[in-house]
Coordinates of all heavy atoms in Angstrom, one line a residue:
M940 N -8.5 -15.2 -4.2 CA -7.2 -14.7 -4.0 C -7.2 -13.6 -3.0 O -7.9 -12.6 -3.2 CB -6.6 -14.3 -5.3 CG -5.2 -13.8 -5.3 SD -4.7 -13.3 -6.9 CE -2.9 -13.2 -6.6
I941 N -6.4 -13.6 -2.0 CA -6.3 -12.6 -1.0 C -5.3 -11.5 -1.5 O -4.2 -11.7 -2.0 CB -5.7 -13.2 0.3 CG1 -6.8 -14.2 0.8 CG2 -5.5 -12.0 1.3 CD1 -6.3 -14.9 2.1
T942 N -5.8 -10.2 -1.4 CA -5.0 -9.1 -1.8 C -4.0 -8.8 -0.7 O -4.4 -8.6 0.4 CB -5.8 -7.9 -2.1 OG1 -6.8 -8.2 -3.1 CG2 -5.0 -6.7 -2.6
P943 N -2.7 -8.8 -1.0 CA -1.7 -8.5 0.0 C -1.9 -7.0 0.6 O -2.3 -6.2 -0.2 CB -0.3 -8.6 -0.7 CG -0.6 -9.3 -1.9 CD -2.0 -9.1 -2.3
R944 N -1.5 -6.9 1.8 CA -1.6 -5.6 2.5 C -0.2 -5.1 2.9 O 0.5 -5.8 3.6 CB -2.5 -5.7 3.7 CG -2.9 -4.4 4.4 CD -4.0 -4.7 5.5 NE -4.4 -3.4 6.0 CZ -4.0 -2.9 7.2 NH1 -3.0 -3.5 7.8 NH2 -4.4 -1.7 7.6
V945 N 0.2 -3.9 2.4 CA 1.5 -3.4 2.6 C 1.5 -2.0 3.0 O 0.6 -1.2 2.6 CB 2.5 -3.7 1.4 CG1 2.7 -5.1 1.1 CG2 2.1 -2.9 0.2
F946 N 2.5 -1.6 3.8 CA 2.6 -0.2 4.2 C 3.0 0.7 3.1 O 3.8 0.3 2.2 CB 3.6 -0.1 5.3 CG 3.8 1.3 5.8 CD1 3.0 1.9 6.7 CD2 4.9 2.1 5.2 CE1 3.2 3.2 7.1 CE2 5.0 3.4 5.6 CZ 4.2 4.0 6.6
A947 N 2.5 1.9 3.0 CA 2.9 3.0 2.1 C 2.8 4.3 2.8 O 1.8 4.5 3.6 CB 2.1 2.9 0.8
D948 N 3.7 5.2 2.5 CA 3.6 6.6 3.0 C 2.7 7.4 2.1 O 3.1 7.7 0.9 CB 5.0 7.1 3.0 CG 5.1 8.6 3.6 OD1 4.0 9.2 3.8 OD2 6.2 9.0 3.8
F949 N 1.6 7.8 2.5 CA 0.6 8.5 1.7 C 1.1 9.9 1.3 O 0.5 10.6 0.5 CB -0.7 8.6 2.4 CG -1.6 7.3 2.3 CD1 -1.0 6.1 2.7 CD2 -2.9 7.3 1.9 CE1 -1.7 4.9 2.6 CE2 -3.6 6.2 1.9 CZ -3.1 5.0 2.2
H950 N 2.2 10.4 1.9 CA 2.8 11.7 1.6 C 3.9 11.5 0.5 O 4.5 12.5 0.1 CB 3.3 12.4 2.8 CG 2.3 12.7 3.8 ND1 1.3 13.7 3.6 CD2 2.0 12.1 5.0 CE1 0.5 13.7 4.7 NE2 0.9 12.7 5.5
N951 N 4.2 10.3 0.2 CA 5.4 10.0 -0.7 C 4.8 9.6 -2.1 O 4.6 8.4 -2.4 CB 6.2 8.9 -0.2 CG 7.4 8.6 -1.0 OD1 7.8 9.4 -1.9 ND2 8.1 7.5 -0.8
T952 N 4.4 10.6 -2.9 CA 3.7 10.4 -4.2 C 4.6 10.9 -5.3 O 5.4 11.8 -5.1 CB 2.4 11.1 -4.3 OG1 2.5 12.5 -4.1 CG2 1.4 10.5 -3.2
D953 N 4.4 10.4 -6.5 CA 5.0 10.9 -7.7 C 4.2 12.0 -8.3 O 3.1 12.4 -7.8 CB 5.4 9.8 -8.7 CG 4.2 9.1 -9.3 OD1 3.0 9.6 -9.2 OD2 4.4 8.1 -10.1
A954 N 4.6 12.5 -9.5 CA 3.9 13.6 -10.1 C 2.5 13.3 -10.6 O 1.7 14.1 -10.8 CB 4.7 14.1 -11.3
E955 N 2.2 11.9 -10.7 CA 0.9 11.5 -11.2 C 0.0 11.1 -10.0 O -1.1 10.6 -10.2 CB 1.1 10.2 -12.1 CG 1.8 10.6 -13.4 CD 1.9 9.4 -14.3 OE1 1.0 8.5 -14.3 OE2 3.0 9.2 -14.9
G956 N 0.5 11.3 -8.8 CA -0.3 11.0 -7.6 C -0.3 9.6 -7.2 O -1.1 9.2 -6.3
R957 N 0.6 8.8 -7.7 CA 0.8 7.4 -7.3 C 1.7 7.3 -6.1 O 2.6 8.1 -6.0 CB 1.4 6.6 -8.5 CG 0.5 6.7 -9.7 CD 1.1 6.0 -10.9 NE 2.4 6.6 -11.2 CZ 3.2 6.2 -12.3 NH1 2.8 5.2 -13.0 NH2 4.4 6.7 -12.5
L958 N 1.4 6.4 -5.2 CA 2.2 6.1 -4.0 C 3.5 5.4 -4.4 O 3.4 4.4 -5.0 CB 1.4 5.3 -3.0 CG 0.1 5.9 -2.5 CD1 -0.6 4.9 -1.6 CD2 0.4 7.2 -1.7
R959 N 4.6 6.0 -4.0 CA 5.9 5.3 -4.2 C 6.0 4.2 -3.2 O 5.7 4.3 -2.0 CB 7.0 6.3 -4.0 CG 7.1 7.3 -5.1 CD 8.4 8.2 -4.9 NE 8.4 9.3 -5.8 CZ 8.1 10.6 -5.6 NH1 7.8 10.9 -4.3 NH2 8.2 11.5 -6.5
L960 N 6.4 3.0 -3.7 CA 6.6 1.8 -2.9 C 8.0 1.5 -2.5 O 8.5 0.5 -2.7 CB 5.9 0.6 -3.6 CG 4.4 0.7 -3.9 CD1 3.9 -0.4 -4.7 CD2 3.6 1.0 -2.6
N961 N 8.7 2.6 -2.0 CA 10.1 2.5 -1.7 C 10.5 2.9 -0.3 O 11.7 2.9 0.0 CB 10.9 3.4 -2.7 CG 10.6 4.9 -2.5 OD1 9.6 5.3 -1.9 ND2 11.4 5.7 -3.2
C962 N 9.5 3.1 0.6 CA 9.9 3.4 2.0 C 10.2 2.1 2.8 O 9.9 1.0 2.4 CB 8.8 4.2 2.7 SG 7.3 3.4 3.0
I963 N 10.9 2.3 3.9 CA 11.4 1.1 4.7 C 10.2 0.2 5.1 O 10.3 -1.0 5.1 CB 12.3 1.5 5.8 CG1 13.0 0.3 6.4 CG2 11.5 2.3 6.9 CD1 14.0 -0.3 5.6
G964 N 9.1 0.8 5.5 CA 7.9 0.0 6.0 C 7.4 -0.8 4.9 O 7.0 -2.0 5.1
T965 N 7.4 -0.3 3.6 CA 6.9 -1.0 2.5 C 7.8 -2.2 2.2 O 7.4 -3.3 2.0 CB 6.8 -0.1 1.2 OG1 6.0 1.0 1.6 CG2 6.2 -0.9 0.1
I966 N 9.1 -1.9 2.2 CA 10.1 -2.9 1.9 C 10.1 -4.0 2.9 O 10.1 -5.2 2.5 CB 11.5 -2.3 1.8 CG1 11.6 -1.3 0.6 CG2 12.6 -3.3 1.8 CD1 12.8 -0.4 0.6
E967 N 9.9 -3.7 4.2 CA 9.8 -4.7 5.2 C 8.5 -5.6 5.0 O 8.6 -6.8 5.1 CB 9.8 -4.1 6.6 CG 11.1 -3.5 7.0 CD 11.1 -2.7 8.3 OE1 10.0 -2.5 8.8 OE2 12.2 -2.4 8.8
D968 N 7.4 -5.0 4.7 CA 6.1 -5.7 4.5 C 6.3 -6.6 3.3 O 5.9 -7.8 3.3 CB 5.0 -4.8 4.3 CG 4.3 -4.3 5.6 OD1 4.8 -4.8 6.7 OD2 3.4 -3.5 5.5
L969 N 6.9 -6.2 2.2 CA 7.1 -7.0 1.0 C 8.0 -8.2 1.3 O 7.7 -9.3 0.9 CB 7.7 -6.2 -0.1 CG 6.8 -5.1 -0.7 CD1 7.5 -4.2 -1.6 CD2 5.5 -5.6 -1.4
A970 N 9.0 -7.9 2.1 CA 10.0 -9.0 2.4 C 9.3 -10.0 3.3 O 9.4 -11.2 3.1 CB 11.2 -8.4 3.1
N971 N 8.6 -9.5 4.4 CA 7.9 -10.4 5.3 C 6.9 -11.3 4.7 O 6.6 -12.4 5.2 CB 7.3 -9.6 6.5 CG 8.4 -9.0 7.4 OD1 9.5 -9.5 7.5 ND2 8.0 -8.0 8.1
Q972 N 6.3 -10.8 3.6 CA 5.2 -11.6 2.9 C 5.7 -12.3 1.7 O 4.9 -12.8 0.9 CB 4.0 -10.7 2.6 CG 3.4 -10.1 3.9 CD 2.3 -9.1 3.5 OE1 1.3 -9.5 2.9 NE2 2.4 -7.9 3.9
S973 N 7.0 -12.2 1.4 CA 7.7 -12.7 0.2 C 6.9 -12.3 -1.1 O 6.6 -13.1 -2.0 CB 7.7 -14.3 0.3 OG 8.4 -14.7 1.4
I974 N 6.7 -11.0 -1.2 CA 6.0 -10.4 -2.3 C 7.0 -9.9 -3.3 O 7.8 -9.0 -2.9 CB 5.0 -9.3 -1.9 CG1 3.9 -9.9 -1.0 CG2 4.4 -8.7 -3.1 CD1 3.0 -8.9 -0.4
E975 N 6.9 -10.3 -4.5 CA 7.7 -9.7 -5.6 C 6.8 -8.9 -6.5 O 5.9 -9.4 -7.1 CB 8.4 -10.7 -6.4 CG 9.4 -10.2 -7.4 CD 10.2 -11.3 -8.1 OE1 10.5 -12.3 -7.4 OE2 10.5 -11.2 -9.2
L976 N 6.9 -7.6 -6.5 CA 6.0 -6.7 -7.2 C 6.1 -6.9 -8.7 O 7.1 -7.2 -9.3 CB 6.3 -5.2 -6.9 CG 6.1 -4.8 -5.5 CD1 6.6 -3.4 -5.3 CD2 4.7 -5.0 -5.0
Q977 N 4.9 -6.8 -9.4 CA 4.8 -6.9 -10.8 C 3.7 -6.0 -11.3 O 2.7 -5.7 -10.6 CB 4.6 -8.3 -11.3 CG 3.6 -9.1 -10.4 CD 3.7 -10.6 -10.8 OE1 3.4 -10.9 -12.0 NE2 4.0 -11.5 -9.9
D978 N 3.8 -5.5 -12.5 CA 2.8 -4.6 -13.1 C 1.4 -5.3 -13.1 O 1.2 -6.4 -13.4 CB 3.1 -4.3 -14.6 CG 4.1 -3.1 -14.7 OD1 3.8 -2.1 -14.1 OD2 5.1 -3.2 -15.5
G979 N 0.4 -4.5 -12.7 CA -1.0 -4.9 -12.6 C -1.4 -5.7 -11.4 O -2.5 -6.0 -11.2
Q980 N -0.4 -5.9 -10.5 CA -0.7 -6.6 -9.2 C -1.6 -5.7 -8.3 O -1.4 -4.5 -8.3 CB 0.6 -6.9 -8.5 CG 0.5 -7.6 -7.2 CD 1.9 -8.0 -6.7 OE1 2.9 -7.5 -7.1 NE2 1.9 -8.8 -5.6
L981 N -2.5 -6.4 -7.7 CA -3.4 -5.6 -6.7 C -2.8 -5.7 -5.4 O -2.3 -6.7 -4.9 CB -4.8 -6.3 -6.7 CG -5.6 -6.2 -8.0 CD1 -6.9 -6.9 -7.9 CD2 -5.7 -4.8 -8.6
L982 N -2.9 -4.5 -4.7 CA -2.4 -4.4 -3.3 C -3.4 -3.6 -2.5 O -4.0 -2.7 -3.1 CB -1.0 -3.7 -3.2 CG 0.2 -4.3 -3.7 CD1 1.4 -3.3 -3.5 CD2 0.5 -5.6 -2.9
T983 N -3.4 -3.8 -1.2 CA -4.1 -2.9 -0.3 C -2.9 -2.2 0.4 O -2.1 -2.9 1.0 CB -5.0 -3.6 0.7 OG1 -6.1 -4.3 0.0 CG2 -5.6 -2.6 1.7
V984 N -2.9 -0.9 0.3 CA -1.8 -0.1 1.0 C -2.4 0.6 2.2 O -3.6 1.0 2.2 CB -1.1 0.8 0.0 CG1 -0.3 0.1 -1.0 CG2 -2.1 1.8 -0.7
Y985 N -1.6 0.7 3.3 CA -2.1 1.3 4.5 C -1.1 2.2 5.1 O 0.1 2.1 4.8 CB -2.5 0.2 5.5 CG -1.3 -0.5 6.1 CD1 -0.7 -0.1 7.3 CD2 -0.8 -1.6 5.5 CE1 0.4 -0.7 7.8 CE2 0.3 -2.3 6.0 CZ 0.9 -1.8 7.2 OH 2.0 -2.4 7.7
S986 N -1.5 3.1 5.9 CA -0.7 4.0 6.7 C -1.4 4.4 7.9 O -2.5 5.0 7.7 CB -0.2 5.2 5.8 OG 0.6 6.1 6.6
E987 N -0.9 4.1 9.0 CA -1.6 4.4 10.3 C -3.0 3.9 10.3 O -3.2 2.7 10.2 CB -1.5 5.9 10.6 CG 0.0 6.3 10.8 CD 0.1 7.8 11.0 OE1 -0.9 8.4 11.4 OE2 1.2 8.3 10.8
D988 N -4.0 4.7 10.2 CA -5.4 4.3 10.3 C -6.1 4.4 9.0 O -7.3 4.4 8.9 CB -6.2 5.0 11.4 CG -6.2 6.5 11.2 OD1 -5.5 7.0 10.4 OD2 -7.0 7.1 11.9
L989 N -5.4 4.5 7.9 CA -6.0 4.6 6.5 C -5.5 3.4 5.7 O -4.4 2.9 5.8 CB -5.5 5.9 5.9 CG -5.8 7.2 6.6 CD1 -5.2 8.4 5.9 CD2 -7.3 7.4 6.8
E990 N -6.4 3.1 4.7 CA -6.0 2.1 3.7 C -6.8 2.3 2.4 O -7.9 2.9 2.4 CB -6.2 0.6 4.2 CG -7.7 0.2 4.3 CD -7.9 -1.3 4.7 OE1 -6.9 -1.9 5.2 OE2 -9.0 -1.8 4.6
V991 N -6.2 1.8 1.3 CA -6.9 1.9 0.0 C -6.4 0.8 -0.9 O -5.2 0.4 -0.7 CB -6.6 3.3 -0.6 CG1 -5.1 3.5 -0.9 CG2 -7.5 3.6 -1.8
D992 N -7.2 0.4 -1.8 CA -6.7 -0.6 -2.8 C -6.0 0.1 -3.9 O -6.4 1.2 -4.3 CB -7.9 -1.4 -3.3 CG -8.6 -2.2 -2.2 OD1 -7.9 -2.7 -1.3 OD2 -9.9 -2.2 -2.2
G993 N -5.0 -0.5 -4.5 CA -4.2 0.0 -5.6 C -3.7 -1.0 -6.5 O -3.8 -2.2 -6.3
V994 N -3.2 -0.5 -7.7 CA -2.6 -1.4 -8.7 C -1.2 -1.0 -8.8 O -0.8 0.2 -9.0 CB -3.4 -1.1 -10.0 CG1 -2.8 -2.0 -11.1 CG2 -4.9 -1.4 -9.9
V995 N -0.3 -2.0 -8.8 CA 1.1 -1.8 -8.9 C 1.5 -1.4 -10.3 O 1.0 -2.1 -11.3 CB 1.9 -3.0 -8.4 CG1 3.4 -2.9 -8.7 CG2 1.6 -3.3 -7.0
Q996 N 2.4 -0.5 -10.5 CA 2.9 -0.1 -11.8 C 4.4 0.2 -11.6 O 4.8 0.6 -10.5 CB 2.2 1.2 -12.3 CG 0.8 1.0 -12.5 CD 0.1 2.3 -12.9 OE1 0.7 3.4 -12.8 NE2 -1.1 2.2 -13.4
F997 N 5.2 0.0 -12.6 CA 6.6 0.4 -12.6 C 6.7 1.8 -13.2 O 6.3 2.0 -14.4 CB 7.5 -0.6 -13.3 CG 9.0 -0.3 -13.1 CD1 9.5 -0.6 -11.9 CD2 9.7 0.3 -14.1 CE1 10.9 -0.4 -11.6 CE2 11.1 0.6 -13.8 CZ 11.6 0.2 -12.6
S998 N 7.3 2.7 -12.5 CA 7.5 4.1 -13.0 C 8.8 4.1 -13.7 O 9.9 4.0 -13.2 CB 7.6 5.1 -11.8 OG 8.0 6.3 -12.3
E999 N 8.7 4.1 -15.1 CA 9.9 4.2 -15.9 C 10.7 5.5 -15.6 O 12.0 5.5 -15.7 CB 9.6 4.1 -17.4 CG 9.1 2.7 -17.8 CD 10.2 1.7 -17.7 OE1 11.4 2.0 -17.8 OE2 9.9 0.5 -17.6
E1000 N 10.0 6.5 -15.4 CA 10.7 7.8 -15.1 C 11.5 7.8 -13.9 O 12.7 8.3 -13.9 CB 9.6 8.9 -15.0 CG 10.1 10.3 -14.8 CD 9.0 11.4 -14.8 OE1 8.2 11.3 -15.7 OE2 9.1 12.2 -13.9
E1001 N 11.0 7.2 -12.8 CA 11.7 7.2 -11.5 C 12.5 5.9 -11.3 O 13.2 5.7 -10.3 CB 10.8 7.5 -10.4 CG 10.2 8.9 -10.5 CD 9.5 9.3 -9.2 OE1 9.7 8.7 -8.2 OE2 8.6 10.2 -9.3
K1002 N 12.2 4.9 -12.1 CA 12.8 3.5 -12.0 C 12.5 2.9 -10.6 O 13.4 2.4 -9.9 CB 14.3 3.6 -12.2 CG 14.7 4.2 -13.5 CD 14.2 3.4 -14.7 CE 14.8 3.9 -16.0 NZ 13.9 3.8 -17.1
L1003 N 11.2 3.0 -10.2 CA 10.8 2.3 -9.0 C 9.3 2.0 -9.1 O 8.6 2.4 -10.0 CB 11.0 3.2 -7.8 CG 10.4 4.7 -7.8 CD1 9.0 4.7 -7.3 CD2 11.3 5.5 -6.9
W1004 N 8.8 1.1 -8.2 CA 7.5 0.6 -8.1 C 6.6 1.7 -7.5 O 7.0 2.3 -6.5 CB 7.4 -0.7 -7.4 CG 8.0 -1.8 -8.2 CD1 9.2 -2.4 -7.9 CD2 7.5 -2.5 -9.3 NE1 9.5 -3.4 -8.8 CE2 8.5 -3.5 -9.7 CE3 6.3 -2.4 -10.1 CZ2 8.3 -4.3 -10.8 CZ3 6.2 -3.2 -11.2 CH2 7.1 -4.2 -11.5
V1005 N 5.4 1.8 -8.0 CA 4.4 2.7 -7.4 C 3.0 2.0 -7.4 O 2.9 1.0 -8.0 CB 4.2 4.0 -8.2 CG1 5.5 4.8 -8.2 CG2 3.8 3.7 -9.7
A1006 N 2.1 2.6 -6.6 CA 0.7 2.0 -6.6 C -0.2 3.1 -7.0 O -0.3 4.2 -6.4 CB 0.4 1.6 -5.2
A1007 N -1.0 2.9 -8.1 CA -2.0 3.8 -8.5 C -3.2 3.6 -7.7 O -3.7 2.4 -7.6 CB -2.3 3.6 -10.0
I1008 N -3.7 4.6 -7.1 CA -4.9 4.5 -6.2 C -5.9 5.5 -6.6 O -5.6 6.5 -7.3 CB -4.5 4.7 -4.7 CG1 -4.0 6.1 -4.4 CG2 -3.4 3.7 -4.3 CD1 -3.9 6.5 -3.0
D1009 N -7.1 5.3 -6.1 CA -8.2 6.3 -6.2 C -8.3 7.0 -4.8 O -8.7 6.4 -3.8 CB -9.5 5.6 -6.5 CG -10.7 6.6 -6.7 OD1 -10.6 7.7 -6.2 OD2 -11.7 6.1 -7.3
W1010 N -7.8 8.3 -4.9 CA -7.7 9.0 -3.6 C -9.1 9.2 -2.9 O -9.2 9.5 -1.8 CB -7.1 10.4 -3.9 CG -5.6 10.2 -4.1 CD1 -5.0 10.0 -5.3 CD2 -4.6 10.2 -3.1 NE1 -3.6 9.8 -5.1 CE2 -3.4 9.9 -3.8 CE3 -4.6 10.3 -1.7 CZ2 -2.1 9.9 -3.1 CZ3 -3.4 10.2 -1.1 CH2 -2.2 10.0 -1.7
D1011 N -10.2 9.1 -3.7 CA -11.5 9.2 -3.1 C -12.0 8.0 -2.5 O -13.1 8.0 -1.9 CB -12.5 9.6 -4.2 CG -12.2 11.0 -4.8 OD1 -11.8 11.9 -4.0 OD2 -12.5 11.2 -6.0
R1012 N -11.2 6.9 -2.6 CA -11.7 5.6 -2.0 C -10.8 5.2 -0.7 O -10.9 4.1 -0.3 CB -11.6 4.5 -3.0 CG -12.6 4.7 -4.1 CD -12.8 3.4 -4.9 NE -13.9 3.5 -5.8 CZ -15.1 3.1 -5.6 NH1 -15.4 2.6 -4.4 NH2 -16.1 3.2 -6.5
I1013 N -10.1 6.2 -0.2 CA -9.4 5.8 1.0 C -10.3 5.6 2.2 O -11.3 6.3 2.4 CB -8.4 7.0 1.4 CG1 -7.3 7.1 0.3 CG2 -7.7 6.8 2.7 CD1 -6.4 8.3 0.4
R1014 N -10.1 4.5 2.9 CA -10.9 4.1 4.0 C -10.2 4.3 5.3 O -9.0 4.2 5.4 CB -11.3 2.6 3.9 CG -11.9 2.2 2.6 CD -12.1 0.7 2.6 NE -10.9 -0.1 2.5 CZ -10.3 -0.5 1.4 NH1 -10.7 0.0 0.2 NH2 -9.2 -1.3 1.4
Q1015 N -11.0 4.6 6.3 CA -10.5 4.7 7.7 C -10.6 3.3 8.3 O -11.6 2.6 8.2 CB -11.3 5.7 8.5 CG -10.8 5.8 9.9 CD -10.3 7.2 10.2 OE1 -10.7 8.1 9.5 NE2 -9.6 7.4 11.3
V1016 N -9.5 2.8 8.9 CA -9.5 1.5 9.4 C -9.8 1.6 10.9 O -9.2 2.3 11.6 CB -8.1 0.8 9.2 CG1 -8.1 -0.6 9.9 CG2 -7.8 0.7 7.8
E1017 N -10.8 0.8 11.3 CA -11.2 0.8 12.7 C -10.3 -0.2 13.5 O -10.0 -1.3 12.9 CB -12.7 0.4 12.9 CG -13.6 1.4 12.2 CD -13.7 2.7 12.9 OE1 -13.4 2.8 14.1 OE2 -13.9 3.7 12.1
D1018 N -9.9 0.1 14.6 CA -9.2 -0.8 15.5 C -10.2 -1.8 16.1 O -11.1 -1.4 16.7 CB -8.4 -0.1 16.6 CG -7.3 0.7 16.1 OD1 -6.8 0.4 14.9 OD2 -6.8 1.6 16.8
F1019 N -9.9 -3.1 15.9 CA -10.8 -4.1 16.5 C -10.1 -4.7 17.7 O -9.0 -5.0 17.6 CB -11.1 -5.2 15.4 CG -11.9 -4.7 14.3 CD1 -11.3 -4.5 13.1 CD2 -13.2 -4.6 14.4 CE1 -12.0 -4.1 12.0 CE2 -14.0 -4.1 13.3 CZ -13.3 -3.9 12.1
I1020 N -10.9 -4.7 18.8 CA -10.3 -5.3 20.0 C -10.9 -6.7 20.2 O -12.1 -6.9 20.2 CB -10.7 -4.4 21.2 CG1 -10.1 -3.0 21.0 CG2 -10.2 -5.0 22.5 CD1 -10.5 -2.0 22.1
V1021 N -10.1 -7.6 20.3 CA -10.5 -9.0 20.5 C -10.4 -9.3 22.0 O -9.3 -9.2 22.6 CB -9.6 -10.0 19.7 CG1 -10.0 -11.4 20.0 CG2 -9.7 -9.7 18.2
Q1022 N -11.4 -9.7 22.6 CA -11.4 -10.1 24.0 C -11.5 -11.6 24.1 O -12.2 -12.3 23.5 CB -12.7 -9.5 24.7 CG -12.7 -8.0 24.7 CD -13.9 -7.5 25.4 OE1 -14.8 -8.2 25.7 NE2 -13.9 -6.2 25.7
V1023 N -10.6 -12.1 25.0 CA -10.5 -13.5 25.2 C -11.0 -13.8 26.6 O -10.6 -13.2 27.6 CB -9.0 -14.0 25.1 CG1 -8.9 -15.5 25.4 CG2 -8.4 -13.6 23.8
Q1024 N -12.0 -14.7 26.7 CA -12.5 -15.1 28.0 C -11.7 -16.2 28.6 O -11.3 -17.1 27.9 CB -14.0 -15.5 27.8 CG -14.9 -14.4 27.4 CD -16.3 -14.9 27.3 OE1 -16.6 -16.1 27.1 NE2 -17.3 -14.0 27.5
V1025 N -11.4 -16.0 29.9 CA -10.7 -17.0 30.6 C -11.6 -17.9 31.4 O -12.5 -17.4 32.0 CB -9.6 -16.4 31.4 CG1 -8.8 -17.4 32.1 CG2 -8.7 -15.5 30.6

């Protein structure tokens, strides 16, 4: 099973340090991939050149979806250049 990859703002966290999944980039990625969030779902969240794996949770306090992540496991994403020979 492939883990979906969606945008998240790493500066948009709740009091528990979870990423809120409510910014426009996240909503667009979810819609484009036809993803309906559910508790326990695995996601890879990214922002610019960073990414991290997370687990989706519903925040009862804020009434929105969040991703619980391990802040020590954030990875830097390298840009890969594909060269096509003609």
Side-chain angles (χ1 to χ4, degrees):
M940 180 180 196
I941 297 174
T942 304
R944 189 171 185 266
V945 298
F946 178 84
D948 181 349
F949 282 51
H950 298 286
N951 184 14
T952 61
D953 69 5
E955 296 180 38
R957 301 175 300 183
L958 298 175
R959 291 183 183 105
L960 300 176
N961 64 347
C962 67
I963 192 70
T965 307
I966 294 166
E967 288 174 352
D968 276 356
L969 293 170
N971 289 338
Q972 298 177 62
S973 301
I974 298 170
E975 187 172 325
L976 296 176
Q977 42 189 299
D978 274 313
Q980 180 177 10
L981 299 178
L982 287 179
T983 298
V984 291
Y985 71 92
S986 180
E987 298 176 17
D988 61 346
L989 302 175
E990 72 176 14
V991 65
D992 298 320
V994 178
V995 174
Q996 300 172 346
F997 188 76
S998 171
E999 287 295 335
E1000 183 176 312
E1001 295 189 23
K1002 304 297 184 212
L1003 56 83
W1004 292 103
V1005 295
I1008 66 166
D1009 181 342
W1010 288 90
D1011 293 327
R1012 295 196 171 265
I1013 295 175
R1014 305 178 289 275
Q1015 182 116 18
V1016 179
E1017 299 292 331
D1018 291 340
F1019 294 102
I1020 299 173
V1021 179
Q1022 295 181 348
V1023 179
Q1024 292 181 336
V1025 180

